[in-house]
Amino acid sequence: MKIAAIQSDIAWEDPEANFTRLRPWVAAAAAAGARLVVLPEMFACGFSMTTAKIAEPPGGPSTRFLEHQARQHDLWICGSVPEVPLGEAKPYNTLVLASPHGQVVRYRKIHPFSFAREDEHYGAGTDHITVDVDGLRCTLFVCYDLRFADEFWGRAEQTDAYVVVANWPERRRHHWTTLLQARAIENQAYVVGVNRVGHGNGLDYSGDSRIVDPWGEVLAAAAGGETMVLADVRPEVVRDARERFPVLKDRRKS
């Protein structure tokens, strides 16, 4: 299957502007044959802590945008949303995945980024989510989660591709690119890393989105501009890598 990573700029706290920006990119991904389209973390508002302004209920505007794009283009699409469940005090940084058949799956970011005080404004998720996307087993993560290798290790046997959406600042870009390849190599799985570009709330973002194969080879990558990264991803490549070089069977269970 073909995966498209859309590396977009994000208008600060302006969902409608971002929906308008993204529609032609999603259409282009569909035209290129993508079955899964991945948008950045907080694709509709930027990495904002102003939760009273930007938080949405489940099924809010950002989720409806994803659902509509999935139906319109007959594909799977995901991106993270500041979503506050009914009756809870804090929202969660929630990676929402919409299918072309109307299914919506949610992964709540397990590791809020305390360095930026995200943990003061957003709750922490507890559950890992792996979804069968047209035969490809995709495990979902958000940005800072990438630094915690054990979370990835624990899902490796059930995973063909890790999907990581981010607003990862340019000043730590080397960490981003290195960790994406490390997670692919150590778990013998694809890694799809999608980061924003542009400037938001005093920070610069360099993108560096990429799709890495189970051997750690970069199949497709982008630098600092708005663009789309495309690659073909096949579950049998994961199976072959694990059979030819069976690292996972030697991993000790804690």
Side-chain angles (χ1 to χ4, degrees):
M1 66 177 292
K2 188 168 288 185
I3 295 179
I6 296 178
Q7 178 173 286
S8 64
D9 197 351
I10 301 176
W12 189 252
E13 297 180 349
D14 190 346
E16 287 301 327
N18 291 307
F19 300 157
T20 299
R21 180 193 301 271
L22 288 165
R23 285 188 186 98
W25 282 109
V26 179
R35 290 298 299 149
L36 172 62
V37 175
V38 186
L39 308 179
E41 179 184 23
M42 299 291 198
F43 71 90
C45 59
F47 190 60
S48 172
M49 301 299 110
T50 314
T51 54
K53 178 179 180 181
I54 64 167
E56 303 178 8
S62 297
T63 298
R64 291 199 300 272
F65 170 79
L66 295 173
E67 290 179 297
H68 181 264
Q69 294 298 301
R71 290 193 304 270
Q72 180 180 359
H73 297 292
D74 187 33
L75 48 70
W76 298 73
I77 183 169
C78 67
S80 93
V81 176
E83 189 176 81
V84 56
L86 183 66
E88 297 205 24
K90 288 182 179 180
Y92 294 89
N93 188 341
T94 304
L95 180 49
V96 177
L97 172 65
S99 84
H101 318 296
Q103 177 189 15
V104 175
V105 178
R106 290 174 167 84
Y107 163 74
R108 293 172 174 173
K109 187 178 183 180
I110 288 176
H111 296 280
F113 188 36
S114 61
F115 185 79
R117 302 174 63 185
E118 185 183 10
D119 58 320
E120 297 178 18
H121 302 277
Y122 293 84
T126 57
D127 299 325
H128 296 100
I129 300 295
T130 301
V131 185
D132 186 316
V133 177
D134 289 358
L136 186 77
R137 300 172 300 169
C138 295
T139 298
L140 311 178
F141 285 109
V142 178
C143 203
Y144 191 45
D145 290 332
L146 182 63
R147 290 187 178 271
F148 300 90
D150 57 322
E151 307 286 359
F152 288 70
W153 295 353
R155 303 301 296 178
E157 292 182 358
Q158 296 83 36
T159 301
D160 299 313
Y162 295 102
V163 174
V164 186
V165 304
N167 276 202
W168 197 287
E170 182 178 28
R171 67 184 65 166
R172 292 185 292 276
R173 65 187 299 192
H174 180 59
H175 295 191
W176 163 252
T177 57
T178 301
L179 291 170
L180 289 172
Q181 283 187 268
R183 297 294 89 87
I185 292 167
E186 66 198 6
N187 294 294
Q188 299 179 295
Y190 290 98
V191 175
V192 181
V194 185
N195 191 29
R196 70 162 290 184
V197 293
H199 183 83
N201 198 35
L203 293 173
D204 294 315
Y205 297 91
S206 58
D208 298 304
S209 301
R210 56 200 54 223
I211 299 174
V212 187
D213 81 2
W215 296 102
E217 299 296 328
V218 177
L219 300 178
E226 285 194 299
T227 190
M228 177 171 62
V229 174
L230 283 163
D232 289 312
V233 173
R234 304 195 309 275
E236 58 267 27
V237 173
V238 177
R239 292 194 297 269
D240 178 67
R242 292 174 178 180
E243 289 171 2
R244 289 169 58 192
F245 190 59
V247 174
L248 296 189
K249 76 177 184 63
D250 293 328
R251 184 170 288 167
R252 295 184 179 181
K253 302 294 191 294
S254 58

